[in-house]
Amino acid sequence: MATDAVAQLADSLAKTQVTEGELSYKGQGRKFDNAQSVEEMVKEIQEFKGLQALRLEGNTYGVEAAQAIAKALETKSEFKYCYWSDMFTGRLRSEIPPALKSLGAALMTAGARLTVLDLSDNAFGPDGVKGIEKLLKSTACHTLQELRLNNCGMGVGGGKILAAALTECYKQSSAQGTPLGLKVFIAGRNRLENDGATALAQAFQLMGSLEEVHVPQNGINHPGVTALATAMQHNPQLRVLNLNDNTFTKKGAIAMAQALKHLRRVQVINFGDCLVRSEGAIAIAEAVTEGLPILKELNLSFGEITGEAALLVAQSVEGKATLEKLDLNGNCLGEEGCDDLREVMDGLNMGDLLGSLSDDEGEPEEDDEEDDDDEEDDDDYEEDDYEEDDDVEEEEDSGVNQVSSPPSVPRPPDAASFLCFPSPDKLLKLGTKRALLFEQQVDVADAGKTAEAFLKISSVYNEEDEDVKSAVLDSIDAILRKAFASPSFQGYNFVSSLLVMLGLLKSEDKVKPVHVVPGHLQALEYVVRQDYFPQDHIAVLEAFMSRHVQALESCSSARNILKSTLEHVRPEN
């Protein structure tokens, strides 16, 4: 839940170590309004030789008090650590920017080289970011490794100002031969939203040095999540990624899954309360299976994930020797699904690593409207063929002027026409070049369109007609071999789209399932045996083909053969 993100963040924030050369006034709960009130503090700062760290958190400072402290810092050239969270409680927001500007100016005057800047829990808004803008752009921050701005209310505007300042700092430091190497970025509860997150993502991509990113509870939707995912791919040292309580949906989750495939050092993934849904969970499971060798924690709680997808997530952590916790609480597994999940984890000797399932939402109820849609859509392909034939008959019977009309010239068959109205006769009429025609017609860069083409071609499969059977398999071979040969092809998206179109997986998109015919499953049984089909997708298909769903009841024989083949080709653990 969201509280988990807060706890994780608090833990991270608490890891600030007491540093040699530190002067602390932490947590005294004192109110400093003017210069006179901080005279003793100022004297101690001035007399402290080799001051490196100053803890001011847990008190409240007015503008005059901050200016007096700043004056004392102007000679502290060895200063590195600013622990200045929660230091403006009860102050007017207008007081905060001038206080921050004076403190920042002092550090620049001193020639300080900062390592940590912590201004969390100050609720200063975008104006507060302006208060530290000059400091962030200065040489004082060229050495910055940790920037902590949790719960500051920056908003979209503040996020953009911050991103621009970090970008300028990186460019200036790079020009001097010492590029900014920020390692830890914390900015939870800041209302960054998509635009703020996207601006920061551009800065993150430029730096490429991040090891921890915490941006929970920021109202970020899939465009912002996708921008962050792209940026994370350029940060190969990333260890902790916490986006708890933002809204991924399928698009954002798939983008994040793709990013995770590029990262080998990730230890903690917190996508709880992110609405990754089943399709997103499947994509993430595939990324975990393929990589993330030192993963310690995976949190996909409260994501509207169904039982089958949760089982795939569980299977994905097999062999992860460093795993400490898998959190799938608050999803839509149902009592039986929870039992199945525990059984899988126990079978992997990881039962004690599975978090509580006490807040499970139960199996999702079937959508009556979708059921109605399925009944109305009993025969997509066949109805289309009949409609085309009806058009021809209407033309033949369409009145007395038909005799005087010039004879119609039959249009040569083409792949596009077949894909609109599939039929065995049309497929055969495409001739020996049909595979090439389909390669040219189908956009294999689009996994969804590739899945759709597969289903339309395989719908005319006929086990007893060798010519049609051969034509179907040759055509499918050509399309899928080309698709899977492309490094950019998202195979998990292809499988996910296939399951959605077959009515085996619900999608957030309004996708109307096809009427499943034996040819779909017979062609798929052929495909999973081919060398171009990734073995990582076998477990996904096997899990969904084992479900007892109405969509597959009319194809029980073909399904059983497919299940048997999937069991046979499943990679050995």
Side-chain angles (χ1 to χ4, degrees), residues 493-512:
N493 205 357
F494 167 79
V495 173
S496 177
S497 297
L498 205 59
L499 294 171
V500 168
M501 293 176 191
L502 289 171
L504 305 181
L505 177 65
K506 286 189 177 181
S507 171
E508 63 196 57
D509 302 322
K510 298 297 182 181
V511 177
K512 201 172 185 179

Side-chain angles (χ1 to χ4, degrees), residues 5 53 125 152 156 194 197 215 241 344 386 450-451 477 495 498 528:
C152 287
V156 173
N194 290 332
V215 285
L241 185 56
V344 168
Y386 296 152
T450 305
D477 252 345
V495 173
L498 205 59
V528 300

Side-chain angles (χ1 to χ4, degrees), residues 523-536:
L524 188 57
E525 189 272 338
Y526 165 82
V527 167
V528 300
R529 290 187 278 111
Q530 305 311 303
D531 57 1
Y532 57 74
F533 190 81
Q535 289 192 325
D536 291 335

Side-chain angles (χ1 to χ4, degrees), residues 28 57 128 157 207 249-250 289 292 360 429 443 458 478 501 526 536:
Q28 296 181 3
E57 66 264 51
M207 291 186 292
T249 62
K250 178 185 74 173
T289 300
L292 305 177
D360 186 73
K429 286 181 178 178
D443 179 11
S458 61
M501 293 176 191
Y526 165 82
D536 291 335

Side-chain angles (χ1 to χ4, degrees), residues 167-225:
T167 300
E168 183 64 23
C169 182
Y170 178 81
K171 290 180 178 178
Q172 289 188 16
S173 59
S174 296
Q176 295 180 17
T178 55
L180 171 65
L182 190 67
K183 294 181 179 180
V184 177
F185 180 85
I186 298 178
R189 300 180 66 183
N190 269 290
R191 305 194 312 274
L192 293 172
E193 300 179 4
N194 290 332
D195 289 348
T198 299
L200 284 166
Q202 293 170 353
F204 296 162
Q205 183 168 332
L206 191 63
M207 291 186 292
S209 56
L210 289 167
E211 296 180 10
E212 291 189 32
V213 175
H214 300 261
V215 285
Q217 300 180 38
N218 268 292
I220 306 170
N221 298 326
H222 75 80
V225 172

